Structure formats: C-alpha cells, structure tokens
Amino acid sequence: MKYIGFVLFTVLTNAAAQLMLKHGVMQLAPLSFAGVNPILKMLQILSNPWIFIGLFTIVISMASHLYVLSKVEVSFAYPFLSLAYVAVAVFAYFMFREELNAFRIAGIGFICIGTVLIAQSGVGHAETTATAPNREAVKTGELAP
C-alpha cells in the first residue's frame, strides 16, 4: 500500500490526458482524412496545444505506471487504472456536459467497489519475494521443446 500515491498519480495523469485530448479534438474541425495528405493532417492535429500536452501527459502517465509495475504486482496495480474511467466520466460531465445516467453511475459504483476490494489485497513485490520459496533459475535450454 505504500505505492498507492504513485498508482493514483498514474490514474489521474491518464484521466487528465484523455480530457485534454478530448478538448483538443473539439477545437479542431470534424476530423477527416479524405482528400488530404495524411502527414499534413497529423501535423495539424499535433499542432493543437491541448493534443500535444495530452500526448505528453500520457507519456508521463506511462512512465509512472512503469515505476509502479517495478514495485508492485501487476494484478494489484493494473485494476487501479479502471479508476481513470471514473475520473473521466465525472470530469466529462462537468467539463463537456456529457451524460451521466443511472447505468454509468452504477458502473462507476461497481468499478469503485472492485478497486477497493483489490486494494484490500495490497500485496507488493517486497512481501511476495521475501516469502517466496527459493527456486532455481530456469535455463534457456530448458524452455525449448
């Protein structure tokens, strides 16, 4: 549980990136590659500051996630990324006036309950490697059929 701050940072930067990308795409004319040089169109899209910053934020989020994966089990860390769905849905409701109906609210509730249950299992690398039995390293020749 001591890496939960890094996990939540990963979640929040992931959600923030999605919201920035949405804001940037909304500023552009409807996207179409018909009759346009695709490279020029991509440069036009990337020149939007919100899209550029959103992509940069995704890189920060991935770097943070890599750090988290080096410290805790993937089966513990990865489910927390579902909290990004919650954050995006709530912020999109306020920022973009997107619908937040009963089904979405129920889904958000299930995601939160599931994440809390996973957090209660809170086992990281340090605990598992200290208690794991001493195993011999597998040689690459043993893996061949």
Side-chain angles (χ1 to χ4, degrees), residues 90-109:
V90 171
F91 282 107
Y93 173 78
F94 290 108
M95 293 173 61
F96 306 123
R97 302 290 179 224
E98 292 186 4
E99 185 179 359
L100 196 57
N101 59 31
F103 286 109
R104 289 186 185 179
I105 292 171
I108 287 169

Side-chain angles (χ1 to χ4, degrees), residues 51-73:
I51 292 176
F52 184 80
I53 294 169
L55 292 173
F56 182 72
T57 304
I58 287 175
V59 171
I60 292 170
S61 179
M62 288 306 301
S64 173
H65 190 60
L66 290 173
Y67 175 75
V68 168
L69 290 176
S70 75
K71 300 298 181 185
V72 300
E73 295 175 348

Side-chain angles (χ1 to χ4, degrees), residues 72-129:
V72 300
E73 295 175 348
V74 69
S75 60
F76 175 77
Y78 190 69
F80 277 90
L81 292 180
S82 65
L83 290 177
Y85 296 133
V86 174
V88 167
V90 171
F91 282 107
Y93 173 78
F94 290 108
M95 293 173 61
F96 306 123
R97 302 290 179 224
E98 292 186 4
E99 185 179 359
L100 196 57
N101 59 31
F103 286 109
R104 289 186 185 179
I105 292 171
I108 287 169
F110 285 127
I111 289 170
C112 292
I113 290 168
T115 305
V116 166
L117 292 174
I118 290 167
Q120 296 303 309
S121 72
V123 179
H125 280 316
E127 293 87 3
T128 57
T129 55

